């Protein structure tokens, strides 16, 4: 009975946190839409508004995907995909998604990629969600004028000598 209560409380806490996390990008989307519509002749403001709407929408879909992942994990239906991808290309995609968020908050965003092997096999969508989540939290909790850094480095494999491991450092 105590375990069931703890599980119920954990779900309530999770839903409360997720509701708050969902409201933040939704408020940005609504606010920027209103701002863009308030003066249709100000092309610069419209462009800036749509840029923020786009990044907030991407953040919102990431939150929704996290919720769906948790649901799949609880039901035992989560599967890790095994698809080929380029680490360098994915790194650039992450940078393109995150840099505008950091810039909009007045942060300096730096990144580095130190790898020898570019071709990987794994669940690139889940990897991106984890890295995006870490970076968006870093941006969210770093005060204006601060800096956020992403470093990706290749490290020695533990078990299989033909495997590649990467370390992702967000600071």
């Amino acid at each position: 009975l105590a375990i069931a209560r703890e599980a119920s409380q954990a779900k309530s806490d999770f839903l409360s946190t997720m509701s708050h996390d969902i409201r933040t990008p939704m408020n940005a989307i609504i606010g920027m839409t209103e701002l863009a519509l308030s003066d249709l002749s100000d092309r610069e403001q419209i462009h800036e508004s749509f840029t923020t709407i786009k990044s907030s929408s991407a953040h919102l879909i990431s939150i929704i995907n996290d919720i769906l992942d948790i649901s799949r994990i609880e039901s035992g239906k989560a599967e890790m995909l095994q698809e080929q991808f380029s680490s360098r290309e994915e790194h650039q995609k992450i940078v393109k998604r995150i840099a505008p968020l950091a810039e909009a908050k007045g942060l300096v965003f730096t990144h580095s990629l130190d790898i020898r092997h570019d071709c990987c096999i794994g669940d690139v969508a889940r990897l991106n969600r984890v890295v995006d989540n870490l970076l968006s939290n870093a941006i969210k909790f770093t005060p204006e004028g601060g800096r956020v850094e992403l470093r990706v480095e290749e490290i020695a494999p533990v078990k299989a000598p033909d495997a590649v491991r990467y370390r992702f450092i967000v600071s």
Side-chain angles (χ1 to χ4, degrees):
L1 189 61
I3 293 172
R5 267 186 261 161
E6 286 178 21
S8 178
Q9 183 61 46
K11 282 186 180 184
S12 293
D13 293 345
F14 172 76
L15 287 174
S16 175
T17 301
M18 285 297 106
S19 296
H20 175 74
D21 286 350
I22 288 170
R23 272 193 299 270
T24 302
M26 277 306 301
N27 285 333
I29 291 167
I30 292 166
M32 287 294 139
T33 301
E34 289 174 357
L35 192 58
L37 291 172
S38 69
D39 183 1
L40 296 175
S41 64
D42 187 347
R43 295 182 61 78
E44 186 177 324
Q45 179 58 53
I46 290 171
H47 182 268
E48 185 178 323
S49 294
F50 280 131
T51 301
T52 303
I53 289 168
K54 182 179 179 183
S55 66
S56 295
S57 298
H59 183 62
L60 182 59
I61 197 70
S62 175
I63 291 168
I64 292 168
N65 285 333
D66 289 345
I67 293 168
L68 293 173
D69 273 353
I70 290 170
S71 176
R72 285 187 201 106
I73 290 167
E74 280 186 334
S75 67
K77 295 179 181 173
E79 292 181 21
M80 298 294 283
L81 298 177
Q82 297 298 308
E83 54 195 349
Q84 187 172 325
F85 64 93
S86 161
S87 296
R88 284 183 176 81
E89 285 177 19
E90 292 307 317
H91 181 83
Q92 286 306 312
K93 288 177 189 175
I94 289 168
V95 168
K96 284 181 183 176
R97 283 192 305 269
I98 295 300
L101 296 174
E103 184 180 325
K105 189 170 175 197
L107 303 175
V108 174
F109 175 63
T110 59
H111 58 92
S112 64
L113 181 67
D114 182 14
I115 62 170
R116 292 179 304 285
H117 302 91
D118 180 45
C119 185
C120 293
I121 296 176
D123 196 327
V124 69
R126 275 206 174 84
L127 174 65
N128 281 327
R129 277 202 297 275
V130 169
V131 175
D132 282 351
N133 192 5
L134 291 170
L135 287 166
S136 37
N137 280 337
I139 290 168
K140 182 183 195 179
F141 296 110
T142 300
E144 185 176 343
R147 84 187 276 117
V148 172
E149 178 182 14
L150 168 64
R151 286 190 352 239
V152 181
E153 52 193 39
E154 189 170 326
I155 57 176
V158 173
K159 296 179 182 176
D162 62 338
V164 173
R165 286 190 326 151
Y166 297 115
R167 177 182 300 140
F168 292 78
I169 302 166
V170 175
S171 56

